[in-house]
Amino acid sequence: MTIAEVSEKYDLTQDTLRYYERIGLIPHVNRNKSGIRDYTEEDCRWVEFIKCMRNAGLPIEALIEYVTLFKQGAETIGARKELLTEQRKQLIQRMVDMQKTLERLNYKIESYEQSVVKKEKELKRAEE
Amino acid sequence: MTIAEVSEKYDLTQDTLRYYERIGLIPHVNRNKSGIRDYTEEDCRWVEFIKCMRNAGLPIEALIEYVTLFKQGAETIGARKELLTEQRKQLIQRMVDMQKTLERLNYKIESYEQSVVKKEKELKRAEE
DNA sequence: ATATCACCTGGAGTTAACTCCAGGTCAAGT
DNA sequence: ACTTGACCTGGAGTTAACTCCAGGTGATAT
């Protein structure tokens, strides 16, 4: 797959894809004889995985470490599990915070609805 | 309340509190005769509200607009409601993304657990 | 009286995560 | 042969959201 296709498919710019590779956030992608990237199926799975994790707010640094561990092979399975477990913990914490904020927003929006209705009634009364 | 107390209470640095005020993220806080900030109850409620919204990832820009609208009075109630509704929509979207990622992490961690167990068994076998 | 300390202001510096750019290569169309 | 267009690299620039700093003021402890 060309970089243009991967860019399209996962909605990441070519610059971002190159950047992710540069910093080791996805493993090195092979080039063809003229030096152009040719993404394999596995490369694509990495891109998709990283995109998903980034969307949820996992920091790049943690993901780079994960990829680095992955490249080191089966010895690092324990470390990888720990890393993901820690990130999951933080993710859950963020979700809890967001849930609280969501409830608060719901309440505030409802209150505003009341105000708007009240204001409309006032206007109606004024018209009569 | 002094800035030190507010800083302590809401776990925001004094620099952050001053910064928030500077950019209009919280309304202007009154100073005493010697020029030092003296936070009222209402100031504190703003700080707490902003902290909660920021924790959930609402962008500062949107919150500044909200505060600006608030300062303009009751005319802007409709606009404020719209703003919060839009932010709520985006918040929900982020939560959905995070939920997907969480499930994926759960699955991945479970798989790693299998691997670790398998590895331990291998080691045990090797010992025998 | 003076030293200390918390606070003030305006402005510069930092960090994470991209995003853009200049200058160069290569294959394909004309 | 020449132009065009997609892609390459290494490095510089940008944005959001702080964070730090220098130089200054006023209240308090010695």
Side-chain angles (χ1 to χ4, degrees):
Chain A
M1 251 189 161
T2 69
I3 195 170
E5 286 161 351
V6 176
S7 166
E8 166 82 9
K9 183 163 180 193
Y10 298 106
D11 193 31
L12 293 167
T13 70
Q14 299 191 13
D15 267 317
T16 300
L17 286 168
R18 282 191 282 258
Y19 165 69
Y20 280 178
E21 189 181 338
R22 225 187 327 192
I23 63 175
L25 187 47
I26 53 175
H28 181 80
V29 174
N30 277 335
R31 319 291 145 114
N32 63 22
K33 48 282 168 218
S34 45
I36 289 176
R37 283 172 183 79
D38 184 15
Y39 289 79
T40 64
E41 282 291 315
E42 207 197 329
D43 292 332
C44 288
R45 279 197 297 278
W46 270 109
V47 170
E48 193 273 329
F49 172 69
I50 291 299
K51 163 139 209 211
C52 175
M53 295 298 134
R54 288 292 302 130
N55 269 358
L58 273 73
I60 280 190
E61 230 194 292
L63 294 170
I64 289 177
E65 203 188 327
Y66 180 75
V67 175
T68 307
L69 287 170
F70 177 86
K71 285 188 203 151
Q72 285 163 23
E75 322 301 305
T76 67
I77 282 178
R80 278 184 261 163
K81 193 195 131 196
E82 249 178 72
L83 192 156
L84 294 187
T85 305
E86 169 62 23
Q87 290 304 318
R88 176 174 62 178
K89 198 185 103 196
Q90 295 184 22
L91 177 59
I92 290 169
Q93 184 53 59
R94 286 198 298 276
M95 287 175 77
V96 167
D97 286 351
M98 289 165 91
Q99 185 58 44
K100 275 187 207 142
T101 304
L102 178 58
E103 278 156 26
R104 193 152 172 181
L105 277 178
N106 283 338
Y107 176 75
K108 249 181 144 41
I109 289 166
E110 251 177 67
S111 312
Y112 274 130
E113 244 137 50
Q114 302 305 313
S115 305
V116 170
V117 168
K118 227 168 107 190
K119 196 131 203 250
E120 270 159 12
K121 271 190 193 153
E122 272 169 38
L123 287 172
K124 215 171 233 170
R125 257 208 310 284
E127 275 165 22
E128 284 163 11
Chain B
M1 253 191 160
T2 69
I3 194 170
E5 287 161 349
V6 176
S7 167
E8 167 83 9
K9 183 163 181 193
Y10 298 106
D11 191 31
L12 292 167
T13 70
Q14 299 190 15
D15 266 316
T16 300
L17 286 168
R18 282 191 281 258
Y19 165 69
Y20 280 177
E21 188 181 340
R22 227 190 321 196
I23 63 173
L25 187 47
I26 53 175
H28 181 81
V29 174
N30 277 335
R31 319 291 145 113
N32 64 21
K33 47 280 169 221
S34 46
I36 290 176
R37 283 173 183 77
D38 184 15
Y39 289 78
T40 65
E41 284 290 315
E42 206 197 330
D43 292 332
C44 289
R45 279 196 297 277
W46 270 109
V47 169
E48 194 273 328
F49 171 70
I50 291 298
K51 163 138 209 213
C52 174
M53 296 298 134
R54 288 291 303 130
N55 269 357
L58 272 73
I60 281 190
E61 230 195 291
L63 294 169
I64 290 178
E65 204 187 327
Y66 180 75
V67 175
T68 307
L69 286 170
F70 177 85
K71 286 188 203 149
Q72 285 163 23
E75 322 301 306
T76 67
I77 283 178
R80 277 183 263 163
K81 193 194 131 197
E82 248 178 71
L83 192 156
L84 294 186
T85 305
E86 169 62 23
Q87 291 303 319
R88 175 174 63 177
K89 198 185 103 196
Q90 295 184 23
L91 177 60
I92 291 170
Q93 184 53 59
R94 285 197 300 275
M95 289 176 76
V96 167
D97 286 350
M98 288 164 91
Q99 185 58 44
K100 274 186 207 145
T101 303
L102 178 59
E103 278 155 26
R104 195 153 170 180
L105 277 177
N106 284 337
Y107 176 76
K108 248 181 145 42
I109 289 166
E110 251 177 66
S111 311
Y112 275 129
E113 244 138 50
Q114 300 307 313
S115 306
V116 170
V117 168
K118 228 169 107 191
K119 196 132 201 255
E120 270 159 12
K121 271 189 193 155
E122 273 169 39
L123 288 173
K124 217 172 234 170
R125 256 208 310 284
E127 276 164 21
E128 286 162 9

